[in-house]
Amino acid sequence: MEIVIVPDAPAGGEIIAEGIAALLRRKPDALLGVATGSTPLPIYDALTAKARAGAVDVSRARIAQLDEYVGLPAGHPESYRSTVLRQVVEPLGLPETAFMGPDGSADDVQAACEAYDRALAEAGGVDLQILGIGTDGHIGFNEPCSSLASRTRIKTLTEQTRVDNARFFDGDIEQVPHHVITQGIGTILEARHLVLLATGEGKAEAVAQTVEGPVAAVVPASALQMHPHATVVVDEAAASKLKLADYFRHTYAAKPGWQGI
C-alpha cells in the first residue's frame, strides 16, 4: 500500500487524475470505477480539465458505478446513477452507453446484484477503482463487520451513514434510503488498482485504522492492505493521526518518477 500525503483536496485530485490520464494513455478503453460523494469531486474536475485541454483522450473510457440506493425512482437526482452521469459521464463528454451500474429499482434486487458482478467480469474487470472512506471506515457501502470476501449485494445503512448522507437530501434523514446495492469488498479487491482519497480531519481516525491498524472486518477499508496495488491519498488533516506520516512523506519524495501512481 502506498500512502501519499498532499497539502489539500485539489492537490489530491490532481495526482489521482494524472494517474487516470496515464492509464488511459496506455489503455484508452480502461474501465474506471467511480465513487460518489463530495470527496472525489476534485478528481473528476481535474480529469475533466485535462480532457478539455487535450492532455488526455477519454473518448473510449468506460465508467462503472460502485454502489446505488435501493428504491429511489429512476431519474431521482440523488440516485447514484444520476450523480455519476452528472458529475463524471457528462463532463467528460461520454455517451451514457459508456456507463454501467447496478439496478437499484429492480424487482429482484438480489438478481440485480449478481447480474452486476457478472457484468463487471464480462467487461474485463475494473482497471482503476476510486474509493472514498466513511468516518466508520466503510468503503462503498460495506459497513463495519462486512465480510472481506463479500460480493455485490444489498446492505442496510447504519444510522451514522444516513446522517452523513442527509446533506444530499436537503438535510432530511427521512429521505435517505435504508438500503443500498454495493460492490462487496471481495468484488472491490478484484480491481487492478485501488485508489482511496480521504480529506478532512473527520476522516483521520478511519485513515489511521485503515493504514496502520490490523486487517479487520470492523474497519472494511483495512482490506486494502491485502491488495497488490493500492494507493491511499490523504490531505494533511486526514493524515493527522498517522504515526508513520513522516516515513510516508519520505518514501513518496524518494519515489522514482517512472513508477507513476
Side-chain angles (χ1 to χ4, degrees):
M1 180 187 290
E2 179 181 33
I3 315 302
V4 182
I5 300 174
V6 296
D8 51 31
E14 177 60 31
I15 285 176
I16 296 171
E18 182 51 41
I20 295 171
L23 168 63
L24 290 172
R25 294 179 192 118
R26 298 191 307 270
K27 185 177 182 180
D29 65 344
L31 181 58
L32 306 176
V34 298
T36 53
S38 55
T39 300
L41 293 179
I43 303 171
Y44 308 143
D45 290 344
L47 183 61
T48 298
K50 290 179 184 297
R52 292 177 177 173
V56 61
D57 181 2
V58 300
S59 62
R60 294 172 59 193
R62 297 171 294 155
I63 306 296
Q65 195 172 332
L66 183 61
D67 38 40
E68 181 58 277
Y69 286 118
V70 170
L72 289 185
H76 189 287
E78 295 308 325
S79 74
Y80 287 136
R81 179 182 183 88
S82 295
T83 301
V84 170
L85 290 173
R86 185 170 63 246
Q87 295 180 349
V88 184
V89 175
E90 293 171 4
L92 291 177
L94 297 172
E96 194 166 335
T97 53
F99 168 82
M100 59 190 300
D103 184 359
S105 60
D107 291 333
D108 188 336
V109 177
Q110 181 58 37
C113 295
E114 294 169 1
Y116 191 48
D117 253 13
R118 287 195 303 272
L120 290 171
E122 291 167 0
V126 175
D127 291 293
L128 184 150
Q129 176 65 57
I130 297 169
L131 297 168
I133 185 171
T135 55
D136 59 3
H138 74 254
I139 50 174
F141 276 116
N142 295 286
E143 300 285 15
C145 292
S146 292
S147 166
L148 301 185
S150 54
R151 309 301 303 176
T152 299
R153 68 212 189 286
I154 187 171
K155 288 290 291 182
T156 302
L157 298 180
T158 65
E159 279 306 287
Q160 183 59 57
T161 297
R162 294 182 70 235
V163 168
D164 290 345
N165 285 6
R167 67 189 189 278
F168 299 115
F169 291 83
D170 299 322
D172 182 3
I173 191 173
E174 296 304 318
Q175 295 187 44
V176 182
H178 285 271
H179 299 97
V180 290
I181 292 174
T182 185
Q183 286 187 35
I185 298 172
T187 305
I188 290 170
L189 290 176
E190 290 178 351
R192 296 176 182 87
H193 185 186
L194 300 178
V195 181
L196 187 151
L197 176 63
T199 57
E201 188 175 357
K203 301 295 179 69
E205 182 62 33
V207 166
Q209 291 183 16
T210 293
V211 172
E212 297 175 339
V215 175
V218 72
V219 183
S222 66
L224 271 67
Q225 295 182 34
M226 302 188 297
H227 196 277
H229 190 189
T231 305
V232 177
V233 180
V234 293
D235 68 0
E236 291 289 350
S240 61
K241 294 189 177 181
L242 290 173
K243 296 177 181 177
L244 298 176
D246 288 342
Y247 171 70
F248 298 140
R249 292 188 182 94
H250 172 74
T251 55
Y252 185 70
K255 180 179 179 178
W258 53 264
Q259 284 189 333
I261 185 174

